[in-house]
Amino acid sequence: MKALLERARSFRRRVDFESDSYRKLADGQFPEALFVACSDSRVIPALITGARPGEVFEMRNAGNIVPPHRAQLVSGEAATIEYALEVLDVQDIVVCGHSHCGAMGALASGQDLSALPGVGAWLEVARPGLASVLDREAAPDRDPDPDGRDARALVTELAQLNVRAQLAALREYPAARRRLAEGRLRLHGWYYEVDTGELWELDRSGNDFLVHAC
């Protein structure tokens, strides 16, 4: 924490706030995209994209989850999506999953989250979109994997399926649905490999992730 504090305290000296680019930030924000990512400290949208201040509007939570749209739903996620579309008029939304995801790992392993009721309840929001894989893994005739050789592959499969599911949830938000119909919004699905820096992009069919080296 000491190093973080020292860097924060020297931030103003390290950055040229007299430059036009920083002065313009005082006039408002005009981000190009809404970036939906996991809260995981290893996943940093600005680092991955090389975005400068003001270029990306971020929404982060455990598991990069987009709650299903409900008219009476009160949530930070719903408010962020609404603001990004209706006020900031972003034309692109990225949903980015990642490798080594603790949220997907907990669901994959059936981890007991009784001591973390808030986490458990939150992950239940994502469970319906992942049911096809989770039900397959829970089938009684499923061969066990005592050495955990398939554990990472399963988390990867779930993380990528989760990206598709959250994109589907986004399409149900009225502001997104309207803009998609008008051709004013593009949705993107990404999967980021923490340990290799590879970025996988969901293709136009919405079925396959294609890898691109970062």
Side-chain angles (χ1 to χ4, degrees), residues 42-106:
R42 299 165 294 182
V43 181
I44 306 173
L47 183 64
I48 295 170
T49 62
R52 299 277 296 166
E55 291 183 342
V56 173
F57 196 60
E58 295 184 21
M59 184 180 96
R60 302 184 67 176
N61 60 46
N64 44 271
I65 295 170
V66 176
H69 178 265
R70 298 186 183 91
Q72 303 304 317
L73 176 67
V74 177
S75 74
E77 288 77 18
T80 298
I81 293 166
E82 183 178 87
Y83 191 83
L85 293 173
E86 301 285 26
V87 178
L88 299 178
D89 196 29
V90 301
Q91 297 185 14
D92 292 271
I93 301 179
V94 176
V95 176
C96 184
H98 68 98
S99 67
H100 306 84
C101 181
M104 296 301 105

Side-chain angles (χ1 to χ4, degrees), residues 11 15-17 19-26 28-32 46-47 49-58:
F11 180 58
V15 177
D16 181 13
F17 279 96
S19 67
D20 287 343
S21 60
Y22 277 93
R23 285 182 176 276
K24 288 178 181 178
L25 294 177
Q29 58 172 324
F30 306 96
E32 298 179 20
L47 183 64
T49 62
R52 299 277 296 166
E55 291 183 342
V56 173
F57 196 60
E58 295 184 21

Side-chain angles (χ1 to χ4, degrees), residues 104 108-109 133-134 136-137 150-159:
M104 296 301 105
S109 65
V133 172
L134 294 176
R136 181 197 72 201
E137 293 299 310
D150 297 331
R152 177 167 177 176
L154 176 56
V155 171
T156 296
E157 183 179 9
L158 281 174

